[in-house]
């Protein structure tokens, strides 16, 4: 029996030795860097806002050569997912990002994948999932900060992209759900004079998002609009010089929208005549500048291949024609948007287009089409309204819970302090009556603490109920 037991122990030890040796061999075979794959991924990233086909080609090449370099493969999948999101191939983007989230242990690439999932959820109006991926991105960021001193230069560059994209996606989401304060706070977390200066594409992204509206403050709306136009002008000039057609087009389209809503359009065009003439290369009659800028933007987006931005440019052009009373042209551009089946994946975009269609059809006395598009718009708005209501309740209860935690901590600290003082006082006085008085003094505080804990538990139950309602509503919407 003893020999049998010794044999068993020997076999166990041998097996463990094999396991440890195998793990050592596998870890030795896993590469921590691959200059060729890194270079391909760098080139893929450099083409993000320049040429989507080149971005995809370099990413696929990086994947084919990644071999035992999982971090390089995860980065390449993130680059491919970027292209799929631009093409509104959301199913493919989701699949690619899930590969990264399921296989990679690189916290920076995991953060980027979660941020891209946040953008995907924002486009598809999947609000609950947006917060889920936002929480995961924050968790990755905390893990990165714990070991930030050991990052290489290249990893720092990827982190700048991850952090700035996280801020911009958050700001965009909050803006579209009507949370302006949170939207401003998110993008103001980016320091325009900081590390983002080393990533031209993200710096342009920052300039455009600030210039697009909803972030800056001023004495009046016209002053703010002028500041925003200055940001867009800067974005346009840098994008043109550095060859970023995506931001050239985006800045021109946003300029067109600013011109459309200017209180005194002629005066606004006169103040900005230098940049407008530089962009257009010609003198354009009053009232046609916005249309010209929007048409140029649409042409660039069509060459670039971003389906979402193409739809947005058509919508802006429709506003230009409607502003001039040309409803037939406005309807033509709007119908081209809803005619693209991919657009149905973006409910907020569809809602804005349906609203304009309703107005345009009403202007040409087509009541049936006007009512039809208005009803679709209202249905989509109702879905968004319910989401916002549940989110606002969730936020309210989260705030209440935080405040109660702070108060509870204060109460506990006060009780501890009082106990310490009473113990000291009791030792000095050596009187038994002090103990009874201490009990009397502590009894109200203990009762207060008990009631406070009950109230906190009730608030947490309400918070959980709101979360469940939001999840149930999301499931009903998906069905």
């Amino acid at each position: 029996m003893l020999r049998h037991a010794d044999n068993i122990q020997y076999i166990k030890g041998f097996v463990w030795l094999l396991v440890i040796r195998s793990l050592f061999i596998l870890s030795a075979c896993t590469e921590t860097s691959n200059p060729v794959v890194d270079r391909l991924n760098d080139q893929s990233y450099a083409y993000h806002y320049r040429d989507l086909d080149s971005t995809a080609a370099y990413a696929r090449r990086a994947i084919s050569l990644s071999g035992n370099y999982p971090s390089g493969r995860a980065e390449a999948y993130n680059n491919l997912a970027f292209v799929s999101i631009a093409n509104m191939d959301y199913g493919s983007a989701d699949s690619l990002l899930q590969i990264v989230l399921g296989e990679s242990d690189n916290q920076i690439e995991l953060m980027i994948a979660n941020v891209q999932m946040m953008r995907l959820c924002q486009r598809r109006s999947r609000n609950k999932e947006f917060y889920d991926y936002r929480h995961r991105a924050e968790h990755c960021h905390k893990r990165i900060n714990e070991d930030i001193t050991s990052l290489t230069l290249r990893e720092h560059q990827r982190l700048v992209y991850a952090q700035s994209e996280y801020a911009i996606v958050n700001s965009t989401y909050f803006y579209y759900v009507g949370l302006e304060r949170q939207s401003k706070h998110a993008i103001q977390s980016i320091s325009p004079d900081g590390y983002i200066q080393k990533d031209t594409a993200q710096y342009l992204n920052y300039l455009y998002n600030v210039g697009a509206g909803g972030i800056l403050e001023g004495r009046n709306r016209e002053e703010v609009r002028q500041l925003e136009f200055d940001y867009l002008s800067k974005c346009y000039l840098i994008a043109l010089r550095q060859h970023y057609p995506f931001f050239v087009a985006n800045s021109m389209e946003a300029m067109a929208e600013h011109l459309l809503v200017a209180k005194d359009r002629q005066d606004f065009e006169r103040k900005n005549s230098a940049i407008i003439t530089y962009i257009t290369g010609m003198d354009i009659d009053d009232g046609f500048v916005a249309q010209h800028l929007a048409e140029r933007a649409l042409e660039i987006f069509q060459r670039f291949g971003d389906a979402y931005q193409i739809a947005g440019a058509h919508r802006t052009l429709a506003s230009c024609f409607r502003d001039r009373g040309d409803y037939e042209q406005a309807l033509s551009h709007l119908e081209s948007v809803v005619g693209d089946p991919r657009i149905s994946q973006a409910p907020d975009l569809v809602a804005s287009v349906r609203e304009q269609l309703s107005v345009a059809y009403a202007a040409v006395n087509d009541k049936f089409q006007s009512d039809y598009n208005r009803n679709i718009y209202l249905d989509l708005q109702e879905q968004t309204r319910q989401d916002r209501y549940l989110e606002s309740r969730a936020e309210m209860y989260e705030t209440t819970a935080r405040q109660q935690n702070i108060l509870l901590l204060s109460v506990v600290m006060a009780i501890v302090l009082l106990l310490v003082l009473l113990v000291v006082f009791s030792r000095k006085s050596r009187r038994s009556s002090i103990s009874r008085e201490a009990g009397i003094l502590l009894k109200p505080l203990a009762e207060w603490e008990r009631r406070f804990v009950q109230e906190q538990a009730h608030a947490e139950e309400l918070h959980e109920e709101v979360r469940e309602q939001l999840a149930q509503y999301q499931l009903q919407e998906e069905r």
Side-chain angles (χ1 to χ4, degrees), residues 1 6 24 62 65 78 101 135 138 159 182 194 203 276 308 360 422:
M1 288 294 292
D6 289 341
F24 178 78
L65 297 176
N78 272 328
L101 296 174
H135 175 73
E138 290 173 347
L159 181 58
Q182 290 89 333
Y203 181 59
I276 290 173
Y308 189 88
L422 287 172

Side-chain angles (χ1 to χ4, degrees), residues 6-237:
D6 289 341
N7 288 336
I8 291 175
Q9 290 297 324
Y10 175 78
I11 292 170
K12 285 182 178 179
F14 183 71
V15 169
W16 275 109
L17 183 62
L18 284 177
V19 170
I20 294 170
R21 186 178 180 84
S22 299
L23 289 173
F24 178 78
I25 292 171
L26 286 172
S27 63
C29 293
T30 300
E31 299 177 21
T32 56
S33 66
N34 185 318
V36 175
V37 174
D38 286 345
R39 188 160 55 249
L40 288 168
N41 276 323
D42 288 342
Q43 290 173 309
S44 180
Y45 179 76
Y47 277 103
H48 268 201
Y49 296 104
R50 288 170 168 152
D51 188 307
L52 292 175
D53 290 339
S54 297
T55 297
Y58 284 118
R60 291 192 183 98
R61 181 64 175 159
I63 291 171
S64 68
L65 297 176
S66 59
N68 293 316
Y69 183 30
S71 292
R73 185 162 55 255
E75 183 177 346
Y77 278 126
N78 272 328
N79 286 327
L80 267 183
F82 176 90
V83 176
S84 294
I85 293 174
N87 290 330
M88 292 194 78
D89 187 356
Y90 292 160
S92 173
D94 195 310
S95 298
L96 291 166
L97 293 171
Q98 293 306 324
I99 292 174
V100 179
L101 296 174
E103 296 181 1
S104 180
D105 61 357
N106 184 310
Q107 293 300 316
I108 295 177
E109 296 306 324
L110 285 173
M111 181 178 177
I112 292 170
N114 280 307
V115 170
Q116 292 206 85
M117 283 301 304
M118 288 166 57
R119 182 177 293 282
L120 203 54
C121 292
Q122 180 258 317
R123 292 276 181 90
R124 298 160 104 177
S125 296
R126 296 185 175 180
N127 301 304
K128 180 182 179 298
E129 292 180 31
F130 175 90
Y131 282 104
D132 290 340
Y133 287 109
R134 182 171 181 259
H135 175 73
R136 295 177 190 179
E138 290 173 347
H139 177 72
C140 291
H141 197 203
K142 290 178 181 177
R143 292 281 304 276
I144 294 166
N145 285 333
E146 289 171 0
D147 202 27
I148 197 167
T149 56
S150 64
L151 297 183
T152 65
L153 177 61
R154 191 173 184 282
E155 287 171 334
H156 268 290
Q157 292 171 343
R158 291 294 288 170
L159 181 58
V160 169
Y161 167 61
Q163 291 172 328
S164 56
E165 190 72 359
Y166 173 79
I168 290 169
V169 172
N170 267 311
S171 179
T172 303
Y173 173 81
F174 291 135
Y175 177 80
Y176 280 113
V177 297
L179 301 174
E180 293 185 5
R181 180 179 59 81
Q182 290 89 333
S183 177
K184 291 178 182 179
H185 178 74
I187 203 161
Q188 286 169 355
S189 67
I190 298 175
S191 172
D193 300 320
Y195 288 113
I196 198 172
Q197 288 277 351
K198 297 180 180 180
D199 189 330
T200 304
Q202 288 304 99
Y203 181 59
L204 290 171
N205 208 350
Y206 167 81
L207 291 175
Y208 164 72
N209 277 276
V210 173
I215 304 299
L216 300 176
E217 297 178 355
R219 289 175 298 180
N220 54 62
R221 185 67 196 113
E222 291 307 307
E223 180 183 6
V224 171
R225 188 168 289 115
Q226 182 58 57
L227 290 171
E228 291 169 349
F229 203 85
D230 293 341
Y231 270 85
L232 295 172
S233 300
K234 186 174 183 179
C235 179
Y236 172 85
L237 293 171

Side-chain angles (χ1 to χ4, degrees), residues 58 121 162 172 214 217 333 341 368 386 424 460:
Y58 284 118
C121 292
T172 303
E217 297 178 355
H333 283 283
F368 175 80
Q386 291 183 26
V424 172
E460 289 176 352

